[in-house]
Amino acid sequence: MNNQKLFLKPNVVIEPLFDNWYAWSHLISPATSAMNITGRNLKIMNSYIQAPSAHAAAVKNPKMLGGPFIDYGGKRVDEIEKLKEETLEKQKDMIAFSEAIKTLDTLLKNKAKGYSLDPLYDEIPEILKGYVELYYDLNNQASFRFFEPLLYHSKFYNPASQSILLWLTENDERPFVLSTPRLADNEKIHLNIPFSHKGLDALSKMKKNPGDFDSIKELLGISEEQAPLFESFFTTEAPKEYNNYEGDKVRMRYFGHACILVETKEVSIMLDPVISYYGYPQEVERYSDMDLPDSIDYVLITHNHQDHILFETLIPLRHKIKNIVVPRASNGALQDPSIKLMLNAIGFDNVIEIDEMEAIKFSDCVITGVPFVGEHSDLNIQAKICHHVSVGDFKMLFVADSCNIESRLYQHVQAVLGDIDVLFLGMECDGAPLSWLYGPLLTESLPRDKDISRRLAGSNFEKGKGLINAFNAKEVYVYAMGQEPWLEFISSIKYTDESNPIVQSNILIEYCREKNIISERLFGEKEIFYNYLDVLV
C-alpha cells in the first residue's frame, strides 16, 4: 500500500459469529447459550442433514421467512455435518450444562413439594453445583436462579467460540441469519478473535480516521494468504465529513427500525443502535454510521432482543460510546440474562444499569427508565425498559415494542413525569409465538394453542391510542417495524398493505391527525427538529 494512510470502506461488514452462527445475545450469556446450542443450532443442523431439500423449499416460501431452515439450497450438507461434529466436540461442556438444566428442572417438579429445599442441593447435577440457588415463590412453586457472574468466570463462558467475519456488502439483500451458519467463503475473511479484541476498535476507527495498513493487518493477525482480500477492504478516498450539530433545537434523526439519534449542541443520545451501511446503490435513503458524531454520550438499550441489541452495529461503535444504559435483569433467571454482564464480557466497560423510574441526570438532560410491558410472551423478564428523555422542559418518550396491556400503568407514569412532546413507538402487534425466540429455553414443549397465544407483540391501535392519550403527546411517530430492506436479515418481516401492523398503525396515524397531532409511520430516514426553548413559553 506504499505506506499510504487508508480508510476502511463504508460497506465493510464486521459480522460477529459464535461457532460459525450469527451471534446474538442469547449465544453470549452462558446459560442461554448452552440451551440455544442444543435447542436451536444442533437441532437445525440435524434437520438439514436429514432433509436438505425440505429446507431448500422452505426458504423459498415467504410464509416461512424467519423459520428454522438453513439457506444453502439443499447443498453443502457435508460441511454442515462437519460443523455439527465440531460443535459436539467443542461444546460438550455446554451440551452437558444444557442437559443438567433440564435434569434440575425435572428434579424440582418431582421433589419440591413445599418442604425445605436444602436436601435437594445434594441432588443438583454435579456440573451445576455452586452455580445455582433453589427457591420457592410465595405460592410454593419451586425454581432456581444462576449466580450469573460466576458463569462468566467458568468454562461455560469461552471467548474462543467467538469470531469475526469481514466482508464487503454491495446491496441490502441478506438471507435471514439466525437459522443459517456461516460456512467458508473465498470473499470473506474469518478471524478467530473474541468480540473484546482491541483490534476491532482500531479497525472501526479507520472508517473515519485513516490508518496504516501493515499496522492493522498485524493487530488483527491477518495472514499473508488473507492479505490481498483484506487490502481490498480499504480505500484512499476520505468519507464525507460529519458536521457536529450546533443548532439551538433538539434534532432527532431516525436511522431505521427503533434507532433514533437525539442531539443538541451539548449532548448526543442514541436509542437501540441498528445502523445501515452505505457505499453502494440504494433504493431507500438512510442515515449510516457516517452520520454519527465522533462520540455518543449515551446509548440506550430497551430490551434483550436481537433487533435491539445488534452486535454487528454495537461492536464497531464501541470506541464512540461514552456510556451505554441497559435495563436491570432479574438476577439470574434463565430467561432473563444480564445485559450488563454480557456487554462487559465483550469489551464494554461503561455499562450503566437502570431500573424503572430511576433517572440519570446530566447537563440539562434527564433519562428516566419507564416500565416496559408485554412483547415478551408473559415470561418473567425484567431486562426491558422504555426511556423518557427530557432536554430542559422538552420531553420525549421511546416505548419501543411495549404493549400497553394495562392503560392505567402509563397513567400512573404520566402522573410522575407529566405530558410529553414526542412519542416514538413500535406497533408490531401480531408478533411471533413464544417458541420462536424462547423455545430453546423451555425444558418441556408448550402445546401449540398456548404457544401461539403468547406472542412477541407490541401495541395495536387501541393500546397505542391509550399511550397517546395518557401522555397527551403532541407528535407521534411509529417505527417502520423491520420493513427497511437492510433489516430483513435480522427481523424476517415483510408486510403488505393488508398486514395487521400496517392496518393498525394507519388507523392510529389517522386518529392522531383527526386530533391535530402530528403523526407518521417512519421509514428509511427522518429528521425532526424541536425548539425546546419554545416549550418554556
Side-chain angles (χ1 to χ4, degrees):
M1 285 295 203
N2 300 321
N3 295 318
Q4 290 178 301
K5 291 296 183 181
L6 301 174
F7 295 93
L8 187 67
K9 289 180 179 177
N11 55 331
V12 172
V13 179
I14 301 175
E15 182 176 344
L17 303 182
F18 179 94
D19 271 357
N20 289 76
W21 289 79
Y22 193 84
W24 63 293
S25 58
H26 279 200
L27 283 176
I28 305 304
S29 302
T32 55
S33 177
M35 299 298 279
N36 273 274
I37 288 169
T38 57
R40 189 185 303 273
N41 296 0
L42 283 170
K43 191 174 180 180
I44 292 174
M45 287 191 286
N46 282 330
S47 173
Y48 188 74
I49 292 165
Q50 293 169 11
S53 59
H55 283 243
V59 296
K60 294 179 181 178
N61 185 346
K63 293 181 179 180
M64 298 291 190
L65 190 64
F69 307 109
I70 290 179
D71 191 4
Y72 281 119
K75 302 177 181 178
R76 309 186 74 169
V77 178
D78 55 338
E79 293 174 80
I80 296 295
E81 192 155 11
K82 180 182 178 183
L83 179 60
K84 171 196 164 183
E85 295 305 318
E86 289 175 349
T87 302
L88 290 171
E89 177 59 30
K90 289 170 57 179
Q91 300 295 352
K92 55 187 177 183
D93 288 331
M94 297 295 272
I95 294 168
F97 189 87
S98 171
E99 292 304 314
I101 290 173
K102 297 173 186 176
T103 300
L104 176 59
D105 191 64
T106 300
L107 170 70
L108 294 177
K109 287 175 181 175
N110 293 337
K111 293 192 175 183
K113 302 299 183 180
Y115 298 98
S116 172
L117 293 170
D118 290 1
L120 295 186
Y121 276 85
D122 290 337
E123 299 187 47
I124 293 173
E126 187 65 30
I127 199 171
L128 294 182
K129 286 186 175 179
Y131 290 118
V132 295
E133 179 183 23
L134 310 182
Y135 66 89
Y136 287 115
D137 66 16
L138 293 177
N139 293 312
N140 290 319
Q141 298 296 312
S143 191
F144 63 92
R145 73 177 188 93
F146 293 104
F147 297 107
E148 194 177 359
L150 292 178
L151 293 180
Y152 279 96
H153 292 280
S154 74
K155 62 184 177 182
F156 305 116
Y157 179 71
N158 183 11
S161 295
Q162 300 169 15
S163 62
I164 295 292
L165 203 64
L166 299 178
W167 53 284
L168 282 170
T169 181
E170 300 296 343
N171 55 60
D172 291 329
E173 296 180 8
R174 293 169 66 178
F176 182 66
V177 292
L178 297 188
S179 298
T180 301
R182 305 294 256 163
L183 302 178
D185 188 321
N186 291 331
E187 296 182 353
K188 298 176 175 63
I189 294 177
H190 195 178
L191 300 178
N192 289 312
I193 58 175
F195 301 156
S196 59
H197 197 286
K198 296 301 181 184
L200 296 174
D201 298 319
L203 180 67
S204 301
K205 289 178 183 178
M206 289 180 69
K207 280 197 173 183
K208 286 194 174 181
N209 303 302
D212 177 69
F213 178 77
D214 288 335
S215 297
I216 193 64
K217 173 186 162 193
E218 181 179 358
L219 186 58
L220 291 173
I222 301 295
S223 68
E224 290 305 315
E225 183 181 357
Q226 294 170 323
L229 179 57
F230 187 60
E231 185 175 318
S232 71
F233 296 163
F234 296 87
T235 179
T236 57
E237 183 179 347
K240 64 178 182 180
E241 289 190 16
Y242 176 82
N243 296 317
N244 287 325
Y245 179 61
E246 299 293 343
D248 292 326
K249 300 181 180 181
V250 174
R251 182 171 75 176
M252 294 159 277
R253 281 184 163 181
Y254 175 69
F255 280 70
H257 203 48
C259 181
I260 311 285
L261 176 66
V262 178
E263 293 175 285
T264 71
K265 57 186 174 185
E266 289 91 16
V267 70
S268 57
I269 301 168
M270 174 162 267
L271 284 294
D272 288 343
V274 176
I275 309 294
S276 173
Y277 302 96
Y278 87 104
Y280 52 85
Q282 297 171 334
E283 295 181 2
V284 179
E285 293 295 319
R286 84 285 305 268
Y287 295 118
S288 73
D289 58 359
M290 296 302 164
D291 299 292
L292 295 176
D294 291 336
S295 66
I296 303 171
D297 294 302
Y298 286 88
V299 162
L300 312 182
I301 301 294
T302 56
H303 59 299
N304 196 9
H305 287 170
Q306 75 280 358
D307 54 334
H308 294 262
I309 297 180
L310 189 67
F311 297 139
E312 186 178 317
T313 289
L314 280 173
I315 292 172
L317 291 183
R318 184 168 55 201
H319 68 281
K320 290 177 177 280
I321 300 171
K322 292 183 179 179
N323 303 282
I324 184 165
V325 179
V326 303
R328 193 182 303 276
S330 55
N331 195 21
L334 173 61
Q335 75 278 7
D336 194 21
S338 166
I339 300 174
K340 181 177 188 293
L341 288 173
M342 177 189 66
L343 290 176
N344 285 161
I346 63 170
F348 291 85
D349 56 5
N350 49 358
V351 185
I352 303 168
E353 283 187 325
I354 190 171
D355 274 323
E356 295 162 348
M357 305 311 293
E358 185 177 1
I360 298 171
K361 301 178 181 179
F362 57 100
S363 184
D364 62 344
C365 298
V366 181
I367 298 167
T368 305
V370 170
F372 181 140
V373 291
E375 218 258 338
H376 288 72
S377 302
D378 302 314
L379 294 171
N380 181 19
I381 292 175
Q382 302 303 307
K384 60 185 192 295
I385 207 159
C386 305
H387 297 282
H388 180 282
V389 179
S390 64
V391 181
D393 284 350
F394 173 62
K395 298 177 179 180
M396 298 158 279
L397 181 60
F398 304 87
V399 300
D401 300 319
S402 183
C403 183
N404 186 19
I405 301 166
E406 171 50 78
S407 60
R408 291 197 180 184
L409 167 64
Y410 290 115
Q411 292 171 18
H412 294 322
V413 172
Q414 189 276 342
V416 177
L417 298 177
D419 292 343
I420 61 170
D421 296 288
V422 182
L423 172 68
F424 293 91
L425 76 156
M427 294 185 67
E428 211 297 274
C429 50
D430 287 344
L434 179 152
S435 60
W436 186 80
L437 193 67
Y438 295 104
L441 307 185
L442 303 178
T443 56
E444 292 183 356
S445 297
L446 192 66
R448 178 169 171 76
D449 58 339
K450 294 180 180 178
D451 185 27
I452 62 176
S453 78
R454 295 170 60 180
R455 315 292 296 194
L456 296 159
S459 292
N460 59 14
F461 162 65
E462 288 294 338
K463 292 166 183 172
K465 182 178 73 171
L467 278 165
I468 293 165
N469 292 340
F471 290 101
N472 297 304
K474 296 176 183 176
E475 298 185 21
V476 175
Y477 297 97
V478 180
Y479 302 133
M481 300 173 286
Q483 287 192 97
E484 286 99 356
W486 61 91
L487 263 298
E488 188 176 313
F489 82 103
I490 198 73
S491 70
S492 74
I493 290 175
K494 277 189 175 180
Y495 289 141
T496 67
D497 290 341
E498 289 73 40
S499 298
N500 193 38
I502 300 301
V503 172
Q504 294 289 315
S505 56
N506 284 343
I507 296 171
L508 184 82
I509 291 165
E510 183 59 31
Y511 168 81
C512 289
R513 291 174 178 170
E514 289 174 356
K515 295 177 69 70
N516 294 317
I517 298 170
I518 297 171
S519 182
E520 69 175 273
R521 187 173 57 245
L522 302 170
F523 181 76
E525 69 175 30
K526 175 76 174 181
E527 187 172 64
I528 307 163
F529 290 95
Y530 213 104
N531 188 351
Y532 65 97
L533 296 177
D534 287 349
V535 177
L536 300 174
V537 178

